Amino acid sequence: EIGAGGGGGRELPSLSGINTLPAPLQALTVVAISAAIGGLTVALAGPVFDAARGSGLWQLSRPTWPLLGFIYLAAGVAHFTEAEGFENITPPNGTWGFWYTPFSPRANVYWTGVVEIFGGAWMLFGAGAALAGIALPSSLGPVTSDAALTLFLLTVLVTPANLYALTHNAKFPLTVETPVIGHAVRLLFQPVLLAMFWEMAQPTLFDAKANLGLL
C-alpha cells in the first residue's frame, strides 16, 4: 500500500487539496503563492526594515543574523545524511504542469546541499573573523555579504520544495505528516529569510553596481 506524502503517495489527494486541481489551476496557485512571497520579501527588505533600522530592537538583533549560517550549514549536511527525505520534497519534472529542471531530484538534493554547506560556512567564517577582530584579506571581498547573497539565491531556488510539500503533502522527515498550517508557516518564513539575506548582502550588491558602472 502506498502511503500519502511519500514516493508515489505524493500523487494521492493532499491535505491542502491543491494537487487535486487541474494542472492550470495548480500552476496558478503556485505562481500566486510565489508572487506573495516575493511581495512580502520586498516589503520587509524595504519599508519595514527602513522603519526598524536604528531602533533598539534592530541594534540588538541585526548582529545575530549571521548565525543563520549554522542553520544552513547543518541543513546542507542533512542533504547527505537524510537525502531520501529531501528527495521526497523535491518536485519531479512535470509537477504543477510546468516544473522542469535538467537534473534528477537526487542530484538537486546534493548540489543544493553543497551550496548550503559552503554558504553557511563562509558566512560563519566572515562573521567569526569580524567578531574576533581579525581583518581578512581584501582579496576575499566582503565575506559575510557574499555568503548572504549566495544563501539568498539558494533560498529562492529551493522554495519550490516547500511549495511542493504544501501542494502534494510531501513528507520530510518521511515518518512525519505536517499539517497544512505547518507548511503555510514555513512558506511565510521564506520572505523573512530572504529579506534578512538581502539586507546582509548590501555590500556585495554595492560592489557589483560599482563594478558595472551603475552608481
Side-chain angles (χ1 to χ4, degrees):
E1 182 180 356
I2 297 176
R10 294 171 298 179
E11 296 305 317
L12 296 173
S14 66
L15 296 176
S16 68
I18 295 173
N19 70 340
T20 65
L21 299 172
L25 288 181
Q26 290 188 44
L28 182 62
T29 301
V30 168
V31 169
I33 295 173
S34 300
I37 291 173
L40 285 171
T41 300
V42 171
L44 285 171
V48 174
F49 282 1
D50 287 344
R53 192 172 283 110
S55 67
L57 180 60
W58 179 271
Q59 299 295 341
L60 181 66
S61 66
R62 177 63 178 81
T64 68
W65 290 7
L67 293 177
L68 288 170
F70 282 114
I71 298 175
Y72 275 76
L73 177 59
V77 172
H79 275 234
F80 295 90
T81 61
E82 301 291 339
E84 187 176 355
F86 278 100
E87 184 177 0
N88 193 60
I89 62 170
T90 301
N93 287 342
T95 301
W96 311 308
F98 71 87
W99 182 253
Y100 173 81
T101 75
F103 308 112
S104 68
R106 181 59 64 98
N108 283 328
V109 168
Y110 286 153
W111 80 255
T112 54
V114 169
V115 177
E116 285 189 347
I117 291 171
F118 168 76
W122 199 238
M123 176 169 286
L124 293 172
F125 171 63
L131 187 63
I134 299 173
L136 296 174
S138 59
S139 59
L140 292 179
V143 173
T144 303
S145 177
D146 288 350
L149 184 58
T150 299
L151 294 178
F152 173 88
L153 295 172
L154 177 70
T155 302
V156 171
L157 292 174
V158 301
T159 294
N162 292 329
L163 288 166
Y164 185 62
L166 170 68
T167 61
H168 287 69
N169 197 39
K171 294 180 179 178
F172 179 80
L174 290 172
T175 57
V176 176
E177 184 169 297
T178 304
V180 174
I181 188 64
H183 295 306
V185 169
R186 182 161 53 185
L187 285 169
L188 280 172
F189 196 59
Q190 294 294 105
V192 177
L193 285 173
L194 290 169
M196 291 169 74
F197 286 136
W198 188 258
E199 172 69 23
M200 286 190 284
Q202 289 307 302
T204 298
L205 295 169
F206 180 87
D207 286 352
K209 291 177 182 177
N211 293 332
L212 293 172
L214 300 177
L215 293 179

